[in-house]
Structures are given as C-alpha cells and as structure tokens.
Amino acid sequence: CEKIVLDYGGTVLRVTNLYGPNMSKSNIFSDIIKQLRNNNLITLKNTKVKRDFLWVEDAVEAIILSIKKRPKGIYNIASGKSISIMKLAQLFLKNSENNSRKVLSMELKVKEPFINVNIDDTIKDLGWKPKTLLETGIKKLLKID
C-alpha cells in the first residue's frame, strides 16, 4: 500500500504505539492500569522488550500538519525514544498511589528486537515533534481512569 501511495506522490505516515483517552483495553497501558487497581504484583508478559509510545493528541497534530503541508514520502510519527516495558511499568508505579509494588516478567529473554524510530525527517519536513512526555501522558491517564 505504501508503494501505491508513494507512486501517486502521496504521504505515508508510520505511526508507533499510540496511547491516550479511549485507547484499546487490550494494550500494555490498559493492562498495567487494570493491575494498579489491586495490591498484587504487576505481572507482565515480557518487561525487557522496548517500544516507542506516542500520546494520541501528538499523532493527531502530525496528521493535521501532513494534510496541510502535503509532503511526499514516508514519515515516522513517534516519540523517537524507546522505553522498556519494565521502565514503563515503573513510571506507572511512580505516579500511582501504591508505588511500592513489584513488577514481575513472565518471560526473561528478549525475543523481539527494538528499534529507535528516527523522526528527524518528520521534524524537518513537517515542523512537528511530540509535545507530551511519556510521564505526562501517564499522569493524564491515571487521572482519567
């Protein structure tokens, strides 16, 4: 599909893992938030994998800018910073009322490689970069939930 869009002079936006209000109930953020409600361990599948997470409103801004500017090519819409699932869970705990809990990983090996998503062209051509820090987004989610 990307090739077809590019062949017609269009813009392809590759968006990383979005989080924010009304997000899916079957993602890592929702899983952690659900487990914060009890006093048990936070149990996650694999805490060693790293992912790039982006606040949904930042993605919307990038989409709007791409519509206005109409650049041709492929652009990454991401934070540009990968974080391990362990560190993500620790950020949630740090910003929750019950922050002394432990995080348990079901798997101890990293099966999936991680890639730091390069957003340099997106910043240059769209004049966009994410505004919402991950910890700020987590604080917003914890207030919503």
Side-chain angles (χ1 to χ4, degrees):
C1 290
E2 287 182 355
K3 183 178 179 340
I4 294 168
V5 171
L6 294 171
D7 287 348
Y8 281 91
T11 305
V12 173
L13 301 178
R14 292 180 178 168
V15 182
T16 60
N17 304 287
L18 295 180
Y19 71 100
N22 302 311
M23 66 186 166
S24 169
K25 298 295 181 205
S26 60
N27 66 27
I28 187 64
F29 283 77
S30 296
D31 190 20
I32 293 170
I33 290 170
K34 189 182 339 170
Q35 292 186 59
L36 285 174
R37 293 186 187 127
N38 62 45
N39 290 321
N40 300 331
L41 288 168
I42 303 291
T43 305
L44 303 171
K45 184 177 178 181
N46 191 331
T47 59
K48 292 188 185 286
V49 297
K50 292 186 175 185
R51 296 289 180 263
D52 186 313
F53 298 103
L54 183 67
W55 183 251
V56 68
E57 292 170 0
D58 287 339
V60 169
E61 284 185 27
I63 293 166
I64 291 168
L65 280 170
S66 72
I67 291 168
K68 289 178 180 178
K69 295 193 175 201
R70 296 177 166 250
K72 294 174 182 17
I74 298 173
Y75 295 92
N76 293 323
I77 308 302
S79 73
K81 299 173 186 171
S82 293
I83 184 172
S84 73
I85 300 304
M86 175 60 84
K87 287 188 178 174
L88 177 68
Q90 289 169 341
L91 273 177
F92 268 100
L93 286 170
K94 174 183 168 191
N95 290 285
S96 73
E97 295 172 5
N98 192 352
N99 59 13
S100 62
R101 296 165 56 196
K102 302 286 183 212
V103 179
L104 176 68
S105 182
M106 301 293 279
E107 294 181 31
L108 299 176
K109 296 179 183 177
V110 177
K111 291 183 178 179
E112 305 170 47
F114 73 93
I115 298 170
N116 283 323
V117 180
N118 186 321
I119 60 172
D120 292 345
D121 288 341
T122 310
I123 292 169
K124 182 180 69 157
D125 294 351
L126 293 181
W128 172 89
K129 63 181 177 179
K131 295 177 184 169
T132 308
L133 298 174
L134 184 58
E135 188 165 3
T136 303
I138 288 170
K139 287 177 183 178
K140 288 180 183 183
L141 285 177
L142 291 173
K143 286 181 185 175
I144 292 169
D145 189 51

